[in-house]
Amino acid sequence: MTLTEKDSQYLWHPYTQHKTSQTPIAISRGEGALLWDENNKEYIDAIASWWVNPFGHSNKFIADAIYKQLTTLEHVLFGGFTHEPAIKVAEKLMEILPKNQQKIFFSDNGSTAVEVAIKVALQYFFNKGEKRTTIIAFENAFHGDTFAAMAASGISFYTQAFQGMFIDVVRIPVPVKGQEEASFDALKNVIENHNCAGFIFEPLVQGAAGMVMYEPEALAKLIEICKEHNVLTIADEVMTGFGKTGKTFAMDYVDENPDMICLSKALTGGTIPMAITTFTQEVFDAFYDDDINKALFHGHTFTANPTGCAAALASIDLLQTNEMQANIARINKSHLEFQSKIENHPKVVTARTLGVIFAVEIKSEAEESYYGSMRTKLYNFFIDKGVVLRPVGNIVYILPPYIMTDVQLQKVYKTIEEAIVMV
């Protein structure tokens, strides 16, 4: 039996309707920005495998750090114990995070990083004797698949089976160009009419919504409104963090700092599942008490896994090299050139770029669903051409590993141009 045949016998894939979906491709190896399947067909990974591999596949620098840690201390429980790799990660993050972030809490993936933040926002006020039960989020947000993270997400088909089971979440419009005032007014109205504990947002780019982008000044204003009303703010940097927007964090563009930041995906360079939620000292202090019941009772078996910490340290070191920063700038320049080339194409609605993120919206005669016919046609076309891209409806985006070559980038662009003509 082939790997694909064995897969169909045993495995259940994420975000997949197995009765109607395409057969999964069995990948046997990867190197740099390339993947090879079991038949040795080559693919360019133009989305860094769901945004987690900024330094490419089989990265030797990260692999060596993982091996060294595995032969020293692979894991130790974090309840009642600590270790040097976790402390080093904390020290490294304190150097690069917004200066108001002072405490870090480890978990294991982006959803749980968000889950921790939402629980902390709600318990923060509970510990202070206030009942605040509402979380504010953007329309069409995506924050993960655990229950609180799912509740904060606004893409309906992800959550429709669970309606009526969620915490209280109220949505406001994204402050895209021309809609800023509507977003500000909506936030003020929600705060006035609900007992709001926190506001969670994807800073500057809504990933799963199709790389919807908005300006730093608008986000700063929303955070400022929250601060005026003592509503905690949560920056979900799971997708945007570690260089994707052209700066280390998307919040580096914003003059106001959040109370919490969620990190995962590229944190370990796509090697070992790990996540971190960071907090201000003020937030931490609300849990620091003689009363045991005011502690944060949340944890994971693999909290602060030393091997994951070693991978994170190596990944941050790579990100900070002159070579990697130059690569990010090179890809951004290339994206902008491609954007200027195709944004006036008769079949293009709009194109946009931020850092290494590029998105193009293709005209469609009918409203396209998330997993609709155009998306399927585009996805199959890209796979046939040996390019891994996962369109969101009629929106095609690129979010490549930073080590992708110019030749590989040009092939991705050419394939997208062909697809625009094809659909």
Side-chain angles (χ1 to χ4, degrees):
M1 293 175 70
T2 65
L3 290 176
T4 300
E5 290 168 338
K6 290 180 180 179
D7 176 282
S8 66
Q9 185 173 351
Y10 301 114
L11 301 182
W12 192 345
H13 287 260
Y15 308 117
T16 300
Q17 174 48 264
H18 279 266
K19 187 171 184 179
T20 59
S21 67
Q22 303 95 323
T23 303
I25 298 163
I27 297 299
S28 58
R29 62 191 175 95
E31 183 177 347
L34 299 176
L35 298 165
W36 289 267
D37 67 17
E38 62 181 332
N39 299 313
N40 210 36
K41 180 178 176 178
E42 182 181 283
Y43 302 84
I44 299 174
D45 185 356
I47 59 169
S49 285
W50 265 341
W51 324 332
V52 304
N53 283 85
F55 314 113
H57 298 280
S58 304
N59 185 284
K60 191 174 185 304
F61 183 78
I62 301 176
D64 287 345
I66 290 171
Y67 173 78
K68 183 178 179 181
Q69 187 59 51
L70 280 172
T71 56
T72 305
L73 176 66
E74 77 300 332
H75 183 66
V76 65
L77 70 162
F78 211 56
F81 294 85
T82 192
H83 50 78
E84 186 178 32
I87 293 165
K88 283 187 172 181
V89 168
E91 290 175 334
K92 180 68 76 172
L93 285 174
M94 288 306 122
E95 294 174 3
I96 60 177
L97 282 166
K99 296 306 179 188
N100 69 332
Q101 301 299 299
Q102 295 295 316
K103 297 290 183 180
I104 78 167
F105 190 96
F106 285 94
S107 58
D108 59 350
N109 63 59
S111 294
T112 53
V114 168
E115 200 81 8
V116 168
I118 291 175
K119 287 175 71 174
V120 164
L122 295 170
Q123 189 178 341
Y124 173 89
F125 291 102
F126 177 85
N127 284 1
K128 289 178 172 292
E130 294 183 51
K131 186 174 182 179
R132 296 206 191 184
T133 57
T134 299
I135 298 295
I136 308 163
F138 281 139
E139 295 170 354
N140 294 319
F142 182 77
H143 295 290
D145 295 321
T146 52
F147 249 76
M150 185 168 52
S153 299
I155 301 172
S156 62
F157 64 85
Y158 281 111
T159 63
Q160 61 189 11
F162 310 100
Q163 294 304 312
M165 307 177 196
F166 291 141
I167 61 172
D168 183 28
V169 176
V170 180
R171 305 196 182 282
I172 64 171
V174 182
V176 295
K177 191 171 183 179
Q179 298 297 316
E180 294 92 344
E181 290 299 327
S183 184
F184 303 156
D185 291 343
L187 178 60
K188 293 172 185 175
N189 183 61
V190 170
I191 293 173
E192 184 178 338
N193 291 286
H194 296 78
N195 54 341
C196 298
F199 167 42
I200 186 168
F201 52 86
E202 298 160 89
L204 307 191
V205 188
Q206 285 190 299
M211 302 301 166
V212 174
M213 299 179 186
Y214 60 100
E215 295 301 314
E217 295 77 13
L219 180 55
K221 177 64 176 177
L222 292 171
I223 295 173
E224 187 180 293
I225 293 168
C226 287
K227 286 184 177 179
E228 289 171 0
H229 295 87
N230 195 27
V231 173
L232 296 175
T233 51
I234 305 166
D236 180 356
E237 292 248 21
V238 170
M239 186 277 284
T240 54
F242 302 104
K244 309 264 185 36
T245 63
K247 294 193 177 187
T248 304
F249 301 108
M251 290 306 302
D252 291 339
Y253 288 96
V254 183
D255 289 339
E256 296 285 346
N257 290 328
D259 298 293
M260 309 176 221
I261 300 176
C262 304
L263 305 171
S264 191
K265 289 195 181 291
L267 172 64
T268 62
T271 55
I272 293 174
M274 177 171 276
I276 284 171
T277 311
T278 73
F279 305 93
T280 63
Q281 186 68 40
E282 180 183 356
V283 170
F284 176 82
D285 286 345
F287 294 75
Y288 188 79
D289 199 277
D290 292 326
D291 184 355
I292 185 65
N293 294 311
K294 289 187 176 181
L296 176 60
F297 285 101
H298 189 101
H300 300 272
T301 304
F302 286 93
T303 295
N305 171 256
T307 313
C309 289
L313 287 166
S315 296
I316 295 170
D317 283 345
L318 276 176
L319 177 64
Q320 293 180 316
T321 62
N322 291 335
E323 178 184 4
M324 211 58 66
Q325 292 298 311
N327 282 344
I328 291 170
R330 170 180 58 84
I331 292 171
N332 174 255
K333 181 173 181 290
S334 187
H335 281 353
L336 289 170
E337 290 170 355
F338 181 54
Q339 176 181 329
S340 66
K341 179 181 180 182
I342 70 159
E343 61 188 349
N344 295 317
H345 190 287
K347 295 183 75 173
V348 168
V349 178
T350 184
R352 48 190 177 270
T353 299
L354 181 63
V356 303
I357 304 168
F358 168 86
V360 57
E361 183 177 351
I362 303 171
K363 285 183 180 177
S364 174
E365 293 181 1
E367 185 176 346
E368 287 294 325
S369 63
Y370 204 93
Y371 284 104
S373 59
M374 180 182 281
R375 182 265 176 200
T376 300
K377 188 176 183 180
L378 286 166
Y379 177 79
N380 290 337
F381 179 82
F382 295 137
I383 290 298
D384 183 62
K385 295 289 185 179
V387 177
V388 179
L389 291 167
R390 287 179 62 89
V392 177
N394 60 326
I395 298 170
V396 178
Y397 71 86
I398 310 169
L399 206 166
Y402 307 156
I403 46 76
M404 184 174 281
T405 67
D406 289 333
V407 171
Q408 291 166 343
L409 267 176
Q410 291 305 318
K411 180 178 177 180
V412 174
Y413 298 150
K414 182 175 183 292
T415 305
I416 291 174
E417 286 185 275
E418 293 171 353
I420 291 171
V421 173
M422 179 270 300
V423 293

